[in-house]
């Protein structure tokens, strides 16, 4: 993406070399600790598990680590993220990442895409009012489109929970730029586009989405979010019950402190003190 930014900047407003030097330094220096952890393998464990090059995965799908097989797997994974079901209808198949009732693109984003298609058709037939579109904004559109497509690459290199909305998160700023561009460009021709888009986004889509999110989604996704832990916490009657609960989740401080605050009535500081004291006691007793 930085390479595309360099090309885009050169084509639109060339920057002095000194400015690029500062920019690269600002990008590289904070990333050095991350690079060290990647090189050492400290943060590569998860990726090694879900990578398309993982030997266990390749064996399970009857593929080898040849360039041809890896490219086939990569291409199949990549185009899963461009499927209509993923983008427009169901979204991410994991209920941890999606409600399962809407595509990744909101209705407002879909409207922006429709406007882009209409603008492209009008530019293609060379109406005078639209022919300049690709002359003035071609570089910008190529820049954001390229980065939408580049942002899918990390997810396509994995083998689990695909298509995956979180692993293509780098695409989303550019998706918003692309769909927003379509709405803005069409609004220059039809001023009513702006209020129509606001109504669609803030009223119609929001009402439908929020109803699903607060009423249907919690029941449908309950098993994905430790619902049984919540039920367990709700049924604790006394301090002995809380001690047993905290001991059971002794390796998950976020479990313990969250439930202490929400179901035992402790403040954030009080939950931390309880947790810290119990950890010290367990360590003194040799409990791992």
């Amino acid at each position: 993406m930085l390479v595309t930014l360099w090309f885009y900047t050169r084509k639109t407003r060339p920057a002095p070399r000194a400015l690029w030097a500062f920019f690269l330094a600002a990008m590289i220096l904070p990333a050095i600790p991350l690079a060290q952890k990647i090189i050492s393998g400290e943060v590569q464990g998860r990726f090694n598990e879900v990578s398309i090059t993982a030997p266990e995965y390749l064996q399970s799908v009857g593929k080898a680590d040849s360039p041809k097989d890896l490219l086939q797997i990569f291409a199949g994974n990549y185009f899963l993220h461009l499927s209509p079901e993923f983008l427009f209808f169901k979204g991410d198949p994991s209920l941890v990442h999606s409600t399962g009732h809407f595509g990744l693109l909101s209705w407002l984003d879909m409207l922006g895409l429709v406007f882009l298609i209409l603008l492209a058709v009008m530019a293609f037939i060379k109406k005078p009012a639209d022919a300049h579109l690709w002359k003035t904004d071609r570089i910008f559109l190529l820049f954001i489109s390229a980065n939408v497509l580049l942002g899918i690459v990390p997810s396509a290199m994995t083998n689990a929970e695909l298509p995956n909305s979180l692993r293509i998160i780098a695409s989303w700023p550019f998706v918003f730029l692309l769909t927003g561009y379509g709405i803005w460009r069409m609004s220059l021709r039809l001023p009513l586009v702006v209020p129509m888009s606001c109504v669609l986004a803030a009223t119609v889509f929001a009402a439908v989405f929020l109803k699903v999110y607060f009423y249907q989604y919690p029941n449908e996704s309950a098993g994905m979010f430790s619902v049984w832990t919540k039920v367990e916490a709700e049924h604790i009657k006394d301090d002995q019950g809380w001690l047993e609960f905290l001991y059971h989740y002794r390796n998950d401080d976020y479990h313990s402190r969250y439930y202490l605050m929400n179901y035992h009535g402790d403040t954030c500081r009080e939950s931390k003190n309880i947790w810290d004291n119990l950890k010290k006691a367990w360590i003194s007793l040799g409990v791992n």
Side-chain angles (χ1 to χ4, degrees):
M1 288 179 170
L2 289 176
V3 173
T4 67
L5 178 62
W6 182 77
F7 278 108
Y8 175 69
T9 306
R10 287 200 64 185
K11 289 289 185 180
T12 55
R13 189 174 61 183
R17 291 183 179 179
L19 186 61
W20 274 105
F22 282 116
F23 173 76
L24 291 174
M27 294 294 297
I28 293 171
L29 291 177
I32 289 176
L34 176 62
Q36 290 176 326
K37 291 179 182 294
I38 291 174
I39 293 170
S40 69
E42 186 176 343
V43 296
Q44 285 298 95
R46 174 61 176 163
F47 179 73
N48 292 337
E49 290 177 2
V50 299
S51 169
I52 59 174
T53 63
E56 297 81 4
Y57 167 72
L58 291 172
Q59 185 177 7
S60 69
V61 296
K63 298 287 187 179
D65 60 352
S66 66
K68 178 182 177 182
D69 283 355
L70 292 176
L71 185 59
Q72 286 179 342
I73 295 171
F74 174 85
N77 291 348
Y78 189 94
F79 287 106
L80 283 175
H81 296 83
L82 299 176
S83 68
E85 184 175 13
F86 180 63
L87 293 176
F88 305 119
F89 302 114
K90 296 291 186 180
D92 195 313
S94 170
L95 289 181
V96 175
H97 306 157
S98 169
T99 65
H101 291 270
F102 302 92
L104 260 69
L105 296 175
S106 72
W107 295 354
L108 183 66
D109 292 311
M110 292 183 204
L111 182 66
L113 286 181
V114 170
F115 287 155
L116 275 174
I117 294 170
L118 291 175
L119 289 166
V121 170
M122 289 187 289
F124 180 75
I125 61 178
K126 296 182 179 179
K127 286 189 175 182
D130 306 293
H132 73 285
L133 173 66
W134 306 116
K135 292 180 181 178
T136 57
D137 299 335
R138 181 177 65 250
I139 300 300
F140 173 73
L141 290 171
L142 288 173
F143 168 65
I144 56 179
S145 298
N147 283 291
V148 169
L149 299 176
L150 282 172
I152 301 173
V153 170
S155 188
M157 293 172 65
T158 63
N159 63 61
E161 297 181 322
L162 296 178
N164 193 297
S165 58
L166 296 185
R167 294 179 196 152
I168 63 169
I169 196 168
S171 288
W172 287 109
F174 300 99
V175 170
F176 301 146
L177 285 170
L178 188 63
T179 58
Y181 172 88
I183 294 171
W184 168 71
R185 262 297 177 185
M186 188 58 78
S187 73
L188 297 180
R189 294 178 56 86
L190 302 170
L192 282 177
V193 163
V194 172
M196 181 175 69
S197 299
C198 291
V199 169
L200 179 67
T203 306
V204 181
F205 179 71
V208 176
F209 178 83
L210 292 174
K211 182 178 179 181
V212 169
Y213 184 79
F214 285 108
Y215 292 99
Q216 292 178 246
Y217 178 64
N219 295 325
E220 295 170 354
S221 64
M224 307 293 291
F225 291 97
S226 301
V227 66
W228 316 125
T229 308
K230 175 186 175 184
V231 172
E232 186 180 351
E234 288 175 336
H235 286 80
I236 297 176
K237 302 296 185 182
D238 51 29
D239 289 342
Q240 181 61 33
W242 276 106
L243 282 174
E244 293 173 0
F245 176 86
L246 295 173
Y247 179 78
H248 179 73
Y249 293 106
R250 63 188 179 278
N251 294 317
D252 297 315
D253 64 322
Y254 62 92
H255 265 102
S256 302
R257 294 188 57 194
Y258 171 83
Y259 290 106
L260 281 172
M261 287 188 283
N262 282 276
Y263 297 97
H264 193 249
D266 297 301
T267 65
C268 182
R269 183 180 295 277
E270 288 169 344
S271 71
K272 184 178 187 305
N273 290 336
I274 292 171
W275 177 253
D276 288 344
N277 291 334
L278 285 173
K279 284 293 281 186
K280 290 177 183 177
W282 290 329
I283 291 171
S284 68
L285 294 172
V287 176
N288 294 323

